[in-house]
Amino acid sequence: FFFIVPHLSGGLGAMRKAPVPLPAAPTPLEVLRDVLLFQADYAFAYYIFLALYCAACCRNLKEALPRLTWFYAIPLAVLTSFGGGIMVPVLLGLPAAPLINEALIPTMIIAWACVQYLHPVLALLQSPFGRAASNSGFEVFRYHVLAICSDLASRTLPPVSTGPLAGTLSCALVGPLLCGMIGGCGGAFMPLSNGLKALEGSTIPWRVQSSAVMSAWHHLLTHDAAVRASAAEYVPFLADPAMVKLCGILFFAGLPALQQLGLLPAGLLGPNPFVINAAKVKRA
């Protein structure tokens, strides 16, 4: 007994003192994913990118129409910046984004006040660094709007039940594709008096073309299990919807950045007014 008790007590002490393994540190790719998707410890990044988005929109509006009054500038900025978040919910019979997200309109008002009255802020946004940061933030947030509109339509609309694709897809097809596209470029058609002027030229603007491509990318790889499984056979990380979103964000933000650096043609996928070296482009 005297030999057993010390042995047991030592064993129990060792059990009590056994170190608990620490969770593995996130990789740089995981940190980038969490920051750009506003998740985990980086949920606060949503407000940073919303501010960058509004700053880019107000800078663009100020450069195009420098003599706007407050009572015209704020409604115009809200309509052209959040047009997709207004039109898609209305089409689906739901409240528009600026009515349910309390941060959108106040952030836009603050951004316009800074651009209009604080000349150092406007100068910073027009500098190479400020333009690159705000443009990238704009594209990151734009993809989120596209994804939210696509997801909203997928949850609201029933799966394909008629036509040649009936039973082959586990989700609606046409509705989410259109809603995702409108989410990514709806501001091009706002205010409604603009009609389809954004599409009148011989070339379709970058925002419209990129929205069409990424709407299909996001919807099929996120909401259709069969398409996602087929894609994951060749590119395994596409099985994770978060990685699908990350790829879409990097496409939206990366391609204009490469154009700005002169590494890609400025007119690839249409003219982009945020790319300085793009020749005379229409506002999209």
Side-chain angles (χ1 to χ4, degrees), residues 2-279:
F2 292 102
F3 291 99
I4 296 175
V5 170
H7 176 73
L8 290 177
S9 61
L12 293 174
M15 291 177 61
R16 286 195 296 269
K17 296 178 182 178
V20 177
L22 297 175
T27 65
L29 180 61
E30 291 172 338
V31 172
L32 178 65
R33 177 201 64 196
D34 292 344
V35 170
L36 295 183
L37 297 186
F38 318 147
Q39 63 185 23
D41 294 334
Y42 301 96
F44 65 88
Y46 168 83
Y47 297 100
I48 296 175
F49 283 96
L50 172 60
L52 290 172
Y53 179 87
C54 292
C57 292
C58 290
R59 183 205 65 216
N60 194 47
L61 191 60
K62 179 71 174 177
E63 291 174 343
L65 301 169
R67 298 186 179 277
L68 290 180
T69 63
W70 263 89
F71 290 103
Y72 187 78
I74 296 302
L76 184 61
V78 170
L79 288 173
T80 56
S81 303
F82 304 126
I86 294 172
M87 287 192 283
V88 169
V90 169
L91 288 172
L92 298 174
L94 300 168
L99 301 182
I100 59 175
N101 188 334
E102 299 283 350
L104 298 184
I105 293 180
T107 305
M108 185 63 72
I109 292 174
I110 293 171
W112 177 255
C114 291
V115 168
Q116 180 74 1
Y117 297 114
L118 301 179
H119 298 294
V121 173
L122 179 59
L124 175 62
L125 291 173
Q126 292 175 325
S127 69
F129 171 79
R131 194 175 290 273
S134 57
N135 289 357
S136 297
F138 173 88
E139 294 292 356
V140 170
F141 201 84
R142 185 167 74 95
Y143 185 89
H144 278 278
V145 177
L146 181 153
I148 290 171
C149 291
S150 175
D151 296 344
L152 188 63
S154 297
R155 291 195 302 268
T156 305
L157 302 174
V160 177
S161 59
T162 58
L165 295 179
T168 61
L169 295 175
S170 59
C171 56
L173 181 62
V174 175
L177 289 177
L178 288 176
C179 287
M181 180 178 173
I182 293 172
C185 66
F189 309 101
M190 283 289 195
L192 293 177
S193 57
N194 277 352
L196 299 177
K197 290 181 181 178
L199 305 178
E200 288 179 352
S202 58
T203 57
I204 306 300
W206 148 256
R207 236 164 277 173
V208 176
Q209 293 197 54
S210 61
S211 295
V213 173
M214 285 295 104
S215 179
W217 165 271
H218 176 84
H219 177 58
L220 294 176
L221 289 176
T222 302
H223 299 120
D224 189 85
V227 174
R228 184 168 62 249
S230 298
E233 290 182 4
Y234 301 97
V235 186
F237 67 80
L238 292 180
D240 182 2
M243 295 305 296
V244 172
K245 293 180 181 179
L246 179 60
C247 290
I249 289 172
L250 293 177
F251 174 80
F252 262 18
L255 195 143
L258 294 175
Q259 290 176 325
Q260 188 64 60
L261 294 172
L263 301 177
L264 288 176
L268 186 63
L269 284 184
N272 183 354
F274 281 12
V275 176
I276 299 177
N277 59 356

